[in-house]
């Protein structure tokens, strides 16, 4: 049998091999183009700032030192920002799933009364918003300004997540499954928690990843609604560190100014590594579900 399979294996022609070679070559070039900037940032953050500024760092770090990371670690607010961001990511992701997943499932059911009107109601904010000032006044009226929950509650409903979830549920959870569950005495809540959610791990993982990345990178909401330094996320803390270092480098003169500018540039690289590394470490574990979620979003519900 194995011999027959080997004999039936189609041999590639010379043109096909040339095409594959060109295709793999282009893919390799694209991978290098995508990965090299990240690699350069890492090696530049641990290299001698003089060599980095002179363009002598290309592929390997030189004059290895960790001055930028040591200076970052000396800021006590950095660890406070890390703690706050992790908490915002955890609670924000959980609350986003709690709000958007049930809404997406409800809109996917054809027998839902007012389904079209509710869909339009969710779609309108994607194109028209009240603006920053009305949103700020609304947040103020709910007494959420300068509180932990202002980073979690007001912006947890995301129409795009609902559309992706609705598409998944409409294509993957047929009405016949609900009818079969009814025959076994299963109600709406039991069907949703016992059958729908276990079958929806892929879309849940995708929305959780999107929500977590959004919370991790979020800085504008914190910039507008938070004043307490103890509540500020990592991105705001890193922004403040960069601004303070640039200010110091601009206020000094002579050799000290050149050294301060080099250190400020070095800290920029370290800041990128510190802010990006956790999410980059998380992504490989959910990459499969993420790719599937992109395809789900491309389908019409």
């Amino acid at each position: 049998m194995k011999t027959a399979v080997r004999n039936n294996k189609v041999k590639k022609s010379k043109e096909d091999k040339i095409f594959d070679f060109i295709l793999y070559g282009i893919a390799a070039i694209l991978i290098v183009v995508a990965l090299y900037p990240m690699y350069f940032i890492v090696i530049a953050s641990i290299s001698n700032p003089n060599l980095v500024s002179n363009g002598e760092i290309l592929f390997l770090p030189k004059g290895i030192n960790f001055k930028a990371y040591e200076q970052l670690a000396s800021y006590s607010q950095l660890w406070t920002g890390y703690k706050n961001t992790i908490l915002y990511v955890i609670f924000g992701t959980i609350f986003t799933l709690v709000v958007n997943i049930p809404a997406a499932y409800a809109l996917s059911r054809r027998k839902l009364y007012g389904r079209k009107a509710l869909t339009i109601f969710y779609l309108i904010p994607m194109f028209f918003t009240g603006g920053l000032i009305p949103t700020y006044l609304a947040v103020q009226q709910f007494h959420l300004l300068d509180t932990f929950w202002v980073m979690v509650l007001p912006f947890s409903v995301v129409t795009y997540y609902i559309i992706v979830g609705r598409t998944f549920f409409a294509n993957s959870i047929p009405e016949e499954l609900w009818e079969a569950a009814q025959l076994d005495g299963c109600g709406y809540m039991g069907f949703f928690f016992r059958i729908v959610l276990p079958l929806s791990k892929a879309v849940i993982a995708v929305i959780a990843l999107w929500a977590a990345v959004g919370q991790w990178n979020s800085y504008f909401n914190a910039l507008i609604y938070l004043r307490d330094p103890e509540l500020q996320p990592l991105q705001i803390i890193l922004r403040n560190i960069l601004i303070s270092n640039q200010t110091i480098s601009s206020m000094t003169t002579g050799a000290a100014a050149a050294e301060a500018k080099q250190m400020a540039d070095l800290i920029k690289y370290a800041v990128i590594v510190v802010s990006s590394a956790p999410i980059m470490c998380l992504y490989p574990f959910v990459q499969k579900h993420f790719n599937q979620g992109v395809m789900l979003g491309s389908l019409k519900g």
Side-chain angles (χ1 to χ4, degrees):
M1 180 65 69
K2 292 182 179 180
T3 305
V5 172
R6 290 174 182 173
N7 293 334
N8 292 332
K9 186 177 179 180
V10 178
K11 292 184 178 180
K12 291 185 178 181
S13 64
K14 183 178 180 181
E15 291 78 7
D16 290 337
K17 292 180 180 179
I18 294 175
F19 176 78
D20 289 344
F21 177 79
I22 296 174
L23 189 65
Y24 290 140
I26 294 174
I29 292 173
L30 292 176
I31 291 173
V32 172
V33 170
L35 294 182
Y36 178 76
M38 294 185 287
Y39 173 74
F40 175 79
I41 289 171
V42 173
I43 63 175
S45 67
I46 60 174
S47 298
N48 187 309
N50 294 324
L51 300 178
V52 175
S53 60
N54 292 333
E56 298 182 27
I57 305 299
L58 293 177
F59 300 105
L60 294 175
K62 298 179 181 179
I64 295 177
N65 66 84
F66 298 93
K67 292 181 180 179
Y69 294 99
E70 291 173 359
Q71 187 163 342
L72 280 179
S74 66
Y75 292 95
S76 59
Q77 285 295 322
L78 178 68
W79 307 110
T80 302
Y82 250 120
K83 181 197 70 175
N84 292 336
T85 296
I86 292 172
L87 292 176
Y88 292 146
V89 168
I90 293 173
F91 286 95
T93 302
I94 292 174
F95 200 81
T96 298
L97 292 175
V98 169
V99 171
N100 292 281
I101 293 296
Y105 172 71
L107 291 177
S108 70
R109 300 300 91 185
R110 296 181 179 179
K111 295 182 179 180
L112 175 67
Y113 180 77
R115 176 170 173 260
K116 291 185 178 179
L118 288 173
T119 302
I120 295 174
F121 176 79
Y122 278 110
L123 286 175
I124 289 175
M126 287 188 68
F127 306 101
F128 306 99
T129 62
L132 179 59
I133 295 177
T135 304
Y136 184 91
L137 294 176
V139 171
Q140 187 181 43
Q141 289 296 319
F142 282 100
H143 304 287
L144 291 174
L145 285 179
D146 216 23
T147 64
F148 174 87
W149 299 106
V150 76
M151 296 293 292
V152 176
L153 299 180
F155 310 100
S156 57
V157 177
V158 182
T159 304
Y160 181 71
Y161 298 167
I162 295 176
I163 292 174
V164 172
R166 186 199 64 173
T167 303
F168 176 87
F169 291 130
N171 294 329
S172 303
I173 310 296
E175 292 288 345
E176 292 77 11
L177 190 61
W178 159 241
E179 295 173 359
Q182 279 184 304
L183 296 176
D184 292 334
C186 188
Y188 287 107
M189 297 296 290
F191 178 71
F192 179 72
F193 285 103
R194 296 179 183 178
I195 299 177
V196 174
L197 291 184
L199 294 175
S200 308
K201 294 179 181 179
V203 73
I204 291 174
V206 170
I207 294 177
L209 175 65
W210 288 342
V213 172
Q215 282 286 353
W216 185 271
N217 294 327
S218 177
Y219 79 95
F220 184 74
N221 292 337
L223 193 64
I224 299 298
Y225 303 111
L226 291 179
R227 291 294 177 267
D228 188 353
E230 297 299 321
L231 294 174
Q232 291 179 343
L234 176 66
Q235 306 302 334
I236 296 296
I237 301 299
L238 295 177
R239 171 181 174 272
N240 295 338
I241 292 173
L242 288 176
I243 291 175
S244 64
N245 279 275
Q246 289 175 353
T247 303
I248 292 173
S249 63
S250 63
M251 293 177 63
T252 54
T253 58
E259 184 177 353
K261 188 179 184 306
Q262 290 174 353
M263 180 54 65
D265 292 338
L266 202 61
I267 289 178
K268 287 181 184 179
Y269 296 123
V271 162
I272 295 173
V273 174
V274 168
S275 60
S276 305
I279 290 298
M280 293 180 66
C281 293
L282 173 66
Y283 180 77
F285 296 99
V286 290
Q287 180 182 8
K288 176 180 68 175
H289 299 303
F290 180 80
N291 294 336
Q292 184 176 357
V294 172
M295 295 303 298
L296 288 173
S298 65
L299 300 176
K300 293 184 179 180

